[in-house]
Amino acid sequence: MDRIAIIGGAQLNGEIPISGAKNSAIKLMAASLLTDEPLRLTNMPRLADTAFLGKLLHRLGAQVDERDGPDGAETVLHTREIVSTIASYDLVRQMRASFNVLGPLIARAGQAKVSLPGGCTIGARPVDLHLQALEALGAKIDLHEGYVYAQAPRGLRGAEITFPFVSVGATEHAMLAAVLAEGTTVLHNAACEPELVDLEQCLNAMGAKVWGAGTPTITITGVAKLHGATHSVIPDRIEMGTYAVAAAMAGGEVRLTKARPDLIDSLLAKLEEAGAGVTRTADGVIIKRNGARLDAVDLETQPYPGFATDLQAQFMALMTTAKGESRIRETIFENRFMHAPELMRLGADISVSGGEARVRGVETLEGAEVMATDLRASVSLVIAGLVARGETVVSRIYHLDRGFERLEEKLGACGAQVRRISGGDESED
Ligand code: UD1
């Protein structure tokens, strides 16, 4: 199993191009099931998660062609026919977002059998809101032996759906199913995340009629058929935020390009409050810190446009060496402080109580062996390693490979001493 070793102390100077958004790409890939024509996705990130979903879609009938286009990596997905409507436990367990094929399968094939995803390290993560939305659209849902059996032989019908709280996945799922439903669907208390806007734009390019994504009310008028399209995946705001935090942590000056700084305003405001230099540019942002320690700042995670839960672990790493005490409240997932004990192995002073962590900044961290517990937690350990004295070795980095494209290369190009150690340490699992 691969590990990543970081020798701390080097400043970061240079440019990092931001990839297409993982969380958007995987929903857009699922959207390809809705048409028998090719969907061409450009600005695609090449990640373990996108490769994995490609395999699942192939089993369902998609021809998946990954290639280099004029603007970088692209994937063409073409599902002439749905050849299977089953997504097994084995597949959904490995990647929760595989569950999002359920809606498109019901919408296009009238039936599906998809495994329930089960819990994950950051919390129970139920899918009740997904299922309620699909039922409201007229799908008959039965649960047996860990599987969702869904039927809508005469197609789905538009409905008014009010989500009891904001869920990104359930909003996307309802949108993916409602585009082929008969009549109009209105989603109330919808998630406003930028990935929803990206999905709306892609679906509309395919002939759907969706309005209002990015606001709490989304209206979808169903159409009988969707067609092929070309769509460029939105830049990854979490990757951008991660490198912004890395630059603030290590010091130096890093220019993030091919990005959308407007999508991480809440993070950039916190970085400025802490004392980092933030300059927005036409296609990104420049993050700068020269010498002085940052100040501790408090934060609370919130649905978009609030501070993203997917950047909480990285910001906690940043606060471990800030001046003073930072209070970090996690409100989206119940168990998302798994990185705290690992950061403490590097010398951080953190106490966690319920949904709040208190981080008392220390002058220096010290390199140690640490273990990645989930995707965003793993990158927080790399960020801490950038300033820890000596060597930090992060194991279980398959989590990292799920969501960060060429991380060692991107950080290395700015002067970080990061290397991948292939194989070894069988004891880690
Ligand atoms: C997506 C992102 C993830 C991000 C999260 C919140 C993807 C692949 N993942 O996850 O990176 O951290 O948004 O921004 O896009 N919930 C329920 N019932 C449901 C659905 C959700 O109780 O049916 C709960 C969840 O357990 C969680 C909260 O609602 O506590 C928000 O989850 P949700 O917004 O759905 O997150 P995901 O779509 O799973």
Side-chain angles (χ1 to χ4, degrees):
M1 213 121 348
D2 290 3
R3 289 171 294 159
I4 277 192
I6 310 116
I7 297 180
Q11 283 203 340
L12 296 183
N13 285 291
E15 184 176 320
I16 300 181
I18 300 304
S19 302
K22 169 189 88 86
N23 282 356
S24 204
I26 52 186
K27 318 303 165 53
L28 299 170
M29 289 174 77
S32 70
L33 290 175
L34 294 165
T35 174
D36 59 7
E37 294 183 17
L39 175 64
R40 174 171 163 247
L41 298 173
T42 61
N43 196 34
M44 273 292 286
R46 290 279 180 254
L47 298 165
D49 271 10
T50 50
F52 183 81
L53 186 59
K55 274 189 209 140
L56 167 59
L57 293 174
H58 180 69
R59 285 204 205 174
L60 302 179
Q63 191 184 317
V64 182
D65 179 16
E66 291 189 344
R67 59 195 193 194
D68 286 326
D71 295 321
E74 57 180 61
T75 301
V76 180
L77 301 118
H78 190 182
T79 317
R80 285 184 185 82
E81 243 187 305
I82 304 277
V83 298
S84 163
T85 53
I86 300 172
S88 67
Y89 176 57
D90 204 37
L91 292 168
V92 182
R93 178 181 58 87
Q94 288 185 55
M95 192 180 91
R96 292 181 54 81
S98 307
F99 188 70
N100 273 55
V101 301
L102 176 63
L105 284 176
I106 308 171
R108 173 125 174 242
Q111 60 170 16
K113 175 186 168 189
V114 174
S115 170
L116 288 163
C120 71
T121 51
I122 62 174
R125 295 184 88 175
V127 288
D128 50 335
L129 302 190
H130 298 235
L131 298 180
Q132 281 163 23
L134 294 172
E135 274 183 322
L137 292 169
K140 187 175 167 303
I141 306 267
D142 289 304
L143 303 182
H144 294 298
E145 294 165 347
Y147 277 83
V148 179
Y149 290 79
Q151 297 260 328
R154 286 193 299 278
L156 297 169
R157 293 184 313 269
E160 292 258 337
I161 299 171
T162 302
F163 293 108
F165 53 89
V166 171
S167 161
V168 178
T171 306
E172 288 165 336
H173 212 156
M175 201 196 267
L176 282 167
V179 285
L180 288 181
E182 197 185 317
T184 297
T185 298
V186 185
L187 306 178
H188 300 283
N189 200 22
C192 299
E193 267 65 5
E195 291 73 30
L196 267 303
V197 179
D198 205 29
L199 184 58
E200 175 188 82
Q201 285 171 359
C202 178
L203 289 169
N204 286 347
M206 294 165 72
K209 294 187 173 156
V210 186
W211 297 266
T215 77
T217 307
I218 301 176
T219 306
I220 303 141
T221 298
V223 295
K225 207 169 163 17
L226 294 179
H227 52 70
T230 293
H231 176 81
S232 174
V233 180
I234 194 173
D236 196 317
R237 64 195 167 99
I238 304 303
E239 190 198 20
M240 170 176 44
T242 299
Y243 289 125
V245 172
M249 184 75 167
E253 184 171 329
V254 176
R255 175 187 282 268
L256 306 176
T257 57
K258 295 184 71 188
R260 290 263 311 268
D262 57 307
L263 303 182
I264 53 163
D265 275 339
S266 51
L267 169 78
L268 296 179
K270 287 289 169 193
L271 287 176
E272 283 176 313
E273 197 185 326
V278 173
T279 310
R280 289 163 174 80
T281 63
D283 78 333
V285 64
I286 299 168
I287 305 292
K288 200 168 165 181
R289 182 170 73 80
N290 290 329
R293 260 174 97 186
L294 295 177
D295 294 321
V297 293
D298 297 338
L299 71 86
E300 179 173 293
T301 61
Q302 287 293 336
Y304 188 82
F307 194 99
T309 174
D310 285 352
L311 289 169
Q312 179 258 105
Q314 297 87 318
F315 205 84
M316 184 184 287
L318 182 67
M319 290 293 100
T320 59
T321 56
K323 267 186 297 181
E325 180 180 283
S326 160
R327 286 181 184 208
I328 299 181
R329 273 181 54 74
E330 172 59 53
T331 71
I332 310 291
F333 291 108
E334 71 267 28
N335 192 22
R336 207 170 197 181
F337 287 134
M338 305 281 281
H339 41 285
E342 298 300 314
L343 289 170
M344 286 159 76
R345 286 181 54 75
L346 300 173
D349 182 357
I350 305 171
S351 47
V352 175
S353 170
E356 184 174 291
R358 288 180 178 218
V359 186
R360 289 163 291 273
V362 294
E363 297 234 351
T364 47
L365 298 175
E366 258 184 74
E369 288 185 40
V370 286
M371 189 179 80
T373 51
D374 70 64
L375 169 56
R376 310 304 176 185
S378 54
V379 84
S380 77
L381 302 174
V382 175
I383 289 173
L386 291 173
V387 300
R389 259 201 319 252
E391 189 175 55
T392 298
V393 180
V394 185
S395 60
R396 297 197 179 179
I397 57 151
Y398 50 84
H399 289 296
L400 204 67
D401 294 334
R402 288 186 40 217
F404 289 94
E405 189 177 34
R406 297 181 286 109
L407 175 107
E408 313 93 274
E409 204 184 296
K410 289 188 180 188
L411 283 174
C414 292
Q417 294 196 53
V418 186
R419 73 194 160 95
R420 181 176 288 254
I421 307 168
S422 295
D425 196 7
E426 293 304 326
S427 64
E428 67 186 57
D429 256 328

